[in-house]
Amino acid sequence: MTEIIQKLDANAEPIVSAPFFLRGELVEGNDIVQKSRDLGVTFATPNIPYDKAIPKRTEVPPLLNVPVSEIIDFLVETGQRLVAPDNEYVHECFDRMASTHILPRSVFETVGKHAVAYLDKRILEAEVEQSFRDPGALDGWVPKEDFTGRKSFVRAYAPRLIHVLPGNSPGVAVKSIAQGALVKAVNLFKMSSADPFYTVAILRTMAQIDPEHPIVKSMSAVYWRGGDAAVENVLYRPQYFDKIVAWGGGDAINNVIKYLGPGFQLVSFDPKTSISMVGREALASEEIMEETASRCAADLMMLNQEACAASRYQFVEGPQDLVDKWCAKFQRNIAERAAASGDVRPLSGDLRDEVEALMMMDDEYGTWGKADGKGLVIRSEEPVDFHPINKIGNVVRVDSLDDAVKYVNVATQTIGFYPSERMADYRDRLGAGGAQRVCPLGEAGPSTVGNPWDGMYPLHRFVNWMVNEDGMGE
Amino acid sequence: MTSALETLLGYAQDPQRFNYTAAELRDLQVQALNERFQDRKDKIRLLRHRAEEAGIEEITSVEDMVPLLFPHTAYKSYPESFLMEEKWDRLTKWLGTVSPYPIEGVDLEGITDIDDWIARLAAKGYYISCSSGTTGKSAMLIASQKDMDWSKIDTVQVFSWGSGVKPEANRYMVGCAPVATVPKNQTIAEAQKAAFSHPELGRWNYPVPPITVGSLTKMVVMRKKMADGTASPQEIADFEATSADRQKVLDDAIELTAQHIIENRDKLLMVSGLWSGLYAVAKAVRDKGYSAKDFNPDNCIYVGGGLKRAQLPADYKEFVHETFNIRPEQDFQNYSMQELNSGMPKCREGNRYHVPPWIVPMILDKEGDALVPYDVNGGEIEGRAAFFDLSLDGRWGGVISGDRISLDYSPCACGNKGPSVRDNIARYADLEGDDKIGCAGTIDAYVRGVA
């Protein structure tokens, strides 16, 4: 819930200020008092200067004719500046974020900095090269001739994008800015209430490198409460933007759907759940149990189980006594990683109730750990009803991994698999169920550079393909 | 010697039961809370678990009760698969974790559906009522025969106190809303009928098929099958068709009820329901050209709960009253919830809901973790409503609700000195928008419809 209170009271408690960034210009102001969704902390923002935030369609996008290689160089330099110890914008950002984000500072700061690794020359080049059959279409009009001799030029034209950023991972801001720049887009970023700061910090860092750079002139970052019709009715128009890039499900998407129509399209990064499939080979010895439990804990604890690729359900193949042994090791590994992360959030009331009810039925459900947010494993014969979050693993014992395939559905993103040699036997069936990615156990985090995500090549989906027909070439 | 608990429950017969200040009741209430706690802490597994976690061995203040309150979700925390796969033995076992009495002697062989399961339990004195079954799992609230008996008396007393209508069995009762067919509702309906209904006139039941627990849980099962990907297209088509048929029955019921009321407008009426249903029927009556002048000036009304998310015009109350000719002083509203076994009637002079001595009200912060500072000697506080209903026998009496209320310990304008609740009750869920966006999510985001 975000309450909008006009005319900030001068005598009110100190409120964190969240400035906007508008195509190179920093806009500060405390016109609107907002509230972060997760923690209920108030922060203040300016009113949105619409005309400044939305460039006219009569202007050619600033980045259109800037070579991708130059854009990449600028992004790489941005990355170096972001991790520089003396970057005041980043420090200030993390100071402010500490009061609005659900994760502890050590976690989101590490994630924010780790995300900067994406701003690497080879990574960015690979993203472009793998997303487009001919990356030259980004920089200019690629000539074509069909088999009848008819000539034309095709261009991957710079789109006008609104990015609705998720609040669970500050790293998405880095990636969204980079991808928006790679496709030369005009970009408006809607920051989340959990993190109305990092995007602006990145853009300010860019402005410091070159305040007149076309990348800087292509970026705006503002905040409004998701679903606020007064704002969205203005912004969500095909006259102003081509596509909206949104994350999540439920209200985040429902808020957008009503505005879709000819000329205004949705590119959605759907809400995802990830799982692990652990073959009986994992239970063959104490050493292998320990290793696989550790790998699985690594997959579960991605972003302390806030990431979409974080493992929620672990289908373990074998008899209950051995599976239970594995569960104990799994829980210990989760708890160790949780303790190391410094994240001590308690479970929400509803989640704790669900967990405790299962604990009361201990002849059907094995439980290791407590319902205290410090690492818990529940073993059951079927997936539990609730969504495991805040460091909870739900181990579903199966006689055979074949029995686990039926639990793969359209919400499944990543499947961490052990042993790796068996992945090839399963991936066709996993794809049929709706899964998007299968990887070795313990490797849900890293991914091959340039690969599709959420079932698509995002850059390819962002651009507008434009054709200049050139006749029969007489 | 009479125990504190017995004393407080004895106030049920006292015409002045709302006139005791919170301050004079407090010590007695704390003693009664401890009596309930000592009796129950080793009988309700979930309560024992909570008490051990919180390190509570004795209740010496209302604050001690906070970590022991059960939210609504505690009664819907059974695994969905128990319902899906009709594992009645396991569902019964889960029920045992929230029941103070061992669930014994129930025949679990050959159960045909959940309604049959509930009937078998009722036959042995375990009464299951449900709520909030439309968008998720139903909460299953277990009650004892004692609770049913208490409820019968309380429902008549609160209505009589709040409306001034005496139980003279002289009215024609007209229901204007569907009522779930659960033991508690049936018990209340029987008690009200016996007290207020003219023996020769009986009662008009809203003409819709029985809303049983089974019909509610069918939706949960269908939703789960869709999420699992196991629902066939024909099953979905059949379900959609059933939903459409059901909607038509509901629409027809409004017309039938309106027509029936008009045909009985010469009688002394007691109309009941929720505001949305009452408004729909009233509008239908108006559309047929009838209003206050056509109805008996001594008619009365029984409304359970607030708007419950219905979208009605601002003047909905006046509209209903002026349709059925309800005098302002015979307007009745009650504040309660399925989790409680007692009602809090609204008084006529002060327009506030009065808390009886055997209900211990607690105002928590929004998160439900701690008491909001309060003074039993006076003053109003606002926050999340929590209660301990000392009359509850078949389950734990401590509940945390989803309501935001304003509770005042000062005397009400009507003169009664007990604590009372302002008529601005809201659900926290209705107060908040949703700005929480994340890329992690569940299959529920992919299931459209089945609301």
Side-chain angles (χ1 to χ4, degrees):
Chain A
M1 162 89 189
T2 299
E3 294 162 7
I4 300 175
I5 307 167
Q6 300 284 350
K7 307 303 178 191
L8 175 65
D9 183 344
N11 296 318
E13 63 188 82
I15 289 178
V16 180
S17 185
F20 294 164
F21 186 92
L22 295 150
R23 297 197 277 151
E25 181 185 333
L26 185 74
V27 176
E28 302 200 77
N30 291 335
D31 301 306
I32 306 176
V33 176
Q34 319 259 15
K35 188 175 284 187
S36 80
R37 173 72 177 88
D38 289 322
L39 298 183
V41 174
T42 53
F43 61 96
T45 66
N47 286 310
I48 297 177
Y50 294 108
D51 286 355
K52 183 75 182 178
I54 306 172
K56 292 178 166 59
R57 277 198 178 270
T58 49
E59 300 164 14
V60 168
L63 281 171
L64 183 67
N65 292 312
V66 176
V68 170
S69 60
E70 185 179 320
I71 292 172
I72 288 176
D73 289 342
F74 190 88
L75 290 172
V76 169
E77 185 173 355
T78 299
Q80 289 158 5
R81 300 285 192 102
L82 283 173
V83 295
D86 60 348
N87 188 321
E88 59 182 309
Y89 305 127
V90 171
H91 283 307
E92 182 184 354
C93 161
F94 288 144
D95 287 344
R96 299 187 191 197
M97 198 184 294
S99 59
T100 57
H101 208 280
I102 195 171
L103 293 169
R105 177 177 185 142
S106 57
V107 174
F108 64 72
E109 190 166 340
T110 299
V111 171
K113 291 180 175 175
H114 184 266
V116 175
Y118 185 74
L119 303 180
D120 172 271
K121 189 176 175 72
R122 289 173 306 165
I123 289 177
L124 297 172
E125 285 175 349
E127 288 279 356
V128 171
E129 287 160 6
Q130 295 196 43
S131 295
F132 298 96
R133 188 170 61 82
D134 184 345
L138 284 168
D139 284 335
W141 298 86
V142 175
K144 297 176 61 181
E145 182 175 344
D146 71 11
F147 61 88
T148 69
R150 180 170 291 274
K151 299 183 191 301
S152 64
F153 301 91
V154 172
R155 184 151 199 188
Y157 200 90
R160 300 165 70 92
L161 306 175
I162 297 178
H163 306 256
V164 181
L165 300 175
N168 64 323
S169 173
V172 173
V174 175
K175 196 164 187 177
S176 297
I177 289 170
Q179 294 185 343
L182 290 174
V183 295
K184 306 174 178 222
V186 168
N187 304 278
L188 175 66
F189 299 95
K190 176 201 176 306
M191 299 181 285
S192 76
S193 65
D195 174 15
F197 309 112
Y198 195 38
T199 307
V200 167
I202 299 166
L203 298 178
R204 290 178 80 181
T205 300
M206 288 178 155
Q208 193 177 50
I209 296 171
D210 180 355
E212 297 304 317
H213 197 283
I215 288 184
V216 171
K217 298 297 189 182
S218 302
M219 307 279 175
S220 295
V222 300
Y223 174 82
W224 69 88
R225 174 183 62 81
D228 184 350
V231 175
E232 292 172 355
N233 213 21
V234 174
L235 295 175
Y236 292 0
R237 291 172 180 271
Q239 287 74 25
Y240 304 146
F241 292 99
D242 303 319
K243 293 177 174 112
I244 180 162
V245 184
W247 299 69
D251 284 348
I253 300 298
N254 289 337
N255 288 337
V256 172
I257 283 172
K258 63 172 81 81
Y259 297 102
L260 301 182
F264 190 66
Q265 298 169 25
L266 170 66
V267 179
S268 71
F269 290 95
D270 295 328
K272 292 294 175 181
T273 298
S274 297
I275 67 175
S276 308
M277 290 174 69
V278 183
R280 65 183 61 253
E281 292 85 344
L283 310 177
S285 74
E286 287 285 324
E287 291 79 11
I288 300 178
M289 274 195 200
E290 187 63 44
E291 185 195 339
T292 52
S294 176
R295 287 168 167 258
C296 203
D299 287 349
L300 182 144
M301 283 297 287
M302 287 179 61
L303 207 50
N304 288 13
Q305 211 179 22
E306 290 288 322
C308 50
S311 177
R312 318 244 167 214
Y313 304 95
Q314 301 80 36
F315 298 89
V316 182
E317 185 184 56
Q320 183 169 303
D321 57 338
L322 289 183
V323 171
D324 281 359
K325 251 185 178 184
W326 188 89
C327 285
K329 293 175 165 56
F330 183 38
Q331 189 271 332
R332 176 173 35 78
N333 274 274
I334 296 170
E336 285 170 358
R337 291 167 184 269
S341 78
D343 177 3
V344 291
R345 289 170 292 145
L347 299 188
S348 71
D350 287 1
L351 186 53
R352 188 192 61 185
D353 295 333
E354 298 258 15
V355 167
E356 287 180 340
L358 300 187
M359 287 173 157
M360 300 296 105
M361 295 187 279
D362 42 20
D363 57 344
E364 294 193 38
Y365 295 88
T367 59
W368 293 261
K370 287 187 167 188
D372 57 6
K374 297 181 180 176
L376 172 72
V377 169
I378 298 168
R379 186 259 303 134
S380 57
E381 295 291 306
E382 292 180 11
V384 295
D385 294 341
F386 53 89
H387 186 55
I389 196 171
N390 200 348
K391 321 178 205 76
I392 298 179
N394 176 203
V395 171
V396 181
R397 192 204 68 79
V398 290
D399 290 325
S400 161
L401 289 184
D402 294 336
D403 301 328
V405 172
K406 69 170 181 276
Y407 295 111
V408 174
N409 56 44
V410 290
T412 307
Q413 187 207 74
T414 297
I415 301 173
F417 208 104
Y418 184 91
S420 301
E421 305 86 69
R422 292 175 69 182
M423 283 193 290
D425 296 333
Y426 280 87
R427 63 194 175 197
D428 285 351
R429 282 181 286 163
L430 300 175
Q436 300 188 347
R437 182 173 175 253
V438 59
C439 65
L441 191 69
E443 301 217 358
S447 60
T448 304
V449 179
N451 263 353
W453 190 258
D454 276 4
M456 59 174 162
Y457 285 103
L459 300 188
H460 192 284
R461 189 76 68 92
F462 290 165
V463 296
N464 294 323
W465 292 92
M466 189 175 177
V467 177
N468 175 189
E469 295 281 356
D470 201 26
M472 295 298 287
E474 310 298 356
Chain B
M1 150 162 188
T2 305
S3 73
L5 180 62
E6 288 165 338
T7 300
L8 288 167
L9 295 182
Y11 283 135
Q13 305 307 322
D14 186 342
Q16 294 297 314
R17 60 190 176 280
F18 298 112
N19 205 21
Y20 299 94
T21 66
E24 59 190 317
L25 292 172
R26 184 43 45 105
D27 285 348
L28 214 50
Q29 286 175 335
V30 171
Q31 289 173 54
L33 290 175
N34 189 48
E35 279 181 51
R36 278 292 190 211
F37 177 66
Q38 297 304 330
D39 178 63
R40 300 276 147 108
K41 68 178 161 101
D42 292 319
K43 294 176 177 173
I44 302 177
R45 285 199 73 182
L46 182 57
L47 177 60
R48 182 170 75 222
H49 174 79
R50 288 291 178 84
E52 286 170 352
E53 289 284 304
I56 293 177
E57 295 178 0
E58 185 185 7
I59 304 296
T60 59
S61 71
V62 172
E63 282 77 3
D64 291 336
M65 185 55 65
V66 172
L68 305 178
L69 300 167
F70 288 1
H72 182 77
T73 48
Y75 295 102
K76 53 164 62 174
S77 56
Y78 55 91
E80 220 160 45
S81 60
F82 289 3
L83 220 52
M84 287 275 297
E85 296 162 28
E86 309 195 328
K87 296 173 173 173
W88 309 119
D89 56 336
R90 291 181 173 177
L91 199 51
T92 306
K93 174 165 186 159
W94 164 82
L95 197 58
T97 67
V98 293
S99 169
Y101 298 110
I103 303 187
E104 298 165 335
V106 182
D107 180 11
L108 298 178
E109 291 299 318
I111 290 179
T112 55
D113 58 22
I114 190 168
D115 294 319
D116 191 10
W117 177 70
I118 288 174
R120 306 253 188 126
L121 285 164
K124 294 294 178 181
Y126 309 99
Y127 301 95
I128 307 299
S129 295
C130 294
S131 68
S132 299
T134 53
T135 57
K137 290 186 284 184
S138 299
M140 297 201 180
L141 302 160
I142 184 168
S144 67
Q145 184 62 56
K146 246 185 188 180
D147 295 324
M148 297 293 115
D149 296 343
W150 176 275
S151 203
K152 280 183 179 177
I153 295 169
D154 188 76
T155 189
V156 171
Q157 304 234 86
V158 294
F159 180 69
S160 198
W161 187 89
S163 67
V165 175
K166 299 295 188 288
E168 292 164 346
N170 58 347
R171 293 175 181 267
Y172 184 42
M173 299 178 68
V174 181
C176 293
V179 179
T181 309
V182 295
K184 177 172 177 174
N185 289 349
Q186 287 173 309
T187 296
I188 287 174
E190 285 163 18
Q192 292 186 352
K193 186 175 172 187
F196 301 107
S197 174
H198 194 297
E200 291 175 15
L201 298 177
R203 174 191 158 98
W204 166 270
N205 291 313
Y206 204 60
V208 294
I211 299 177
T212 63
V213 176
S215 63
L216 294 172
T217 57
K218 256 188 195 97
M219 286 184 284
V220 176
V221 172
M222 176 57 68
R223 181 182 183 82
K224 180 128 174 66
K225 291 180 77 173
M226 283 188 188
D228 291 348
T230 58
S232 74
Q234 189 59 51
E235 279 180 304
I236 293 174
D238 291 344
F239 187 85
E240 295 286 320
T242 301
S243 297
D245 289 343
R246 188 175 296 140
Q247 187 59 51
K248 183 172 187 307
V249 168
L250 288 173
D251 294 339
D252 288 347
I254 296 171
E255 287 298 309
L256 290 170
T257 302
Q259 187 59 39
H260 191 72
I261 283 183
I262 289 167
E263 289 164 8
N264 289 275
R265 63 190 183 277
D266 57 312
K267 298 182 173 65
L268 193 60
L269 299 175
M270 175 176 174
V271 292
S272 65
L274 304 177
W275 282 118
S276 57
L278 285 161
Y279 185 86
V281 172
K283 187 170 186 310
V285 167
R286 297 280 197 125
D287 289 347
K288 296 178 192 298
Y290 294 86
S291 63
K293 67 188 192 316
D294 303 300
F295 287 90
N296 193 304
D298 204 38
N299 285 345
C300 65
I301 193 169
Y302 181 109
V303 183
L307 279 173
K308 292 194 187 290
R309 293 187 166 128
Q311 302 295 317
L312 298 177
D315 66 342
Y316 67 94
K317 287 185 186 180
E318 290 76 21
F319 186 86
V320 171
H321 293 161
E322 286 161 19
T323 302
F324 302 123
N325 206 358
I326 310 293
R327 296 192 331 249
E329 57 267 31
Q330 301 217 129
D331 168 29
F332 174 80
Q333 277 187 242
N334 188 39
Y335 177 44
S336 190
M337 52 193 71
Q338 281 282 349
E339 294 96 315
L340 297 179
N341 205 36
S342 311
M344 290 172 260
K346 185 154 78 74
C347 70
R348 288 162 273 168
E349 294 84 359
N351 211 48
R352 298 179 65 90
Y353 300 97
H354 285 261
V355 185
W358 59 89
I359 291 185
V360 185
M362 292 165 254
I363 303 299
L364 308 180
D365 58 13
K366 195 179 119 188
E367 287 70 39
D369 295 331
L371 288 180
V372 166
Y374 68 99
D375 179 357
V376 290
N377 293 301
E380 188 173 55
I381 52 179
E382 184 182 80
R384 185 176 294 272
F387 302 98
F388 196 103
D389 186 342
L390 290 158
S391 75
L392 272 167
D393 173 68
R395 65 177 180 274
W396 184 235
V399 300
I400 297 176
S401 79
D403 293 342
R404 187 193 68 182
I405 68 169
S406 302
L407 179 76
D408 200 334
Y409 288 103
S410 308
C412 178
C414 71
N416 282 287
K417 299 195 287 288
S420 61
V421 176
R422 181 189 290 268
D423 190 23
N424 68 345
I425 297 156
R427 295 197 65 82
Y428 275 108
D430 295 333
L431 295 170
E432 301 194 337
D434 182 8
D435 190 40
K436 185 180 174 91
I437 299 170
C439 63
T442 72
I443 189 67
D444 284 346
Y446 296 82
V447 177
R448 179 172 45 78
V450 198

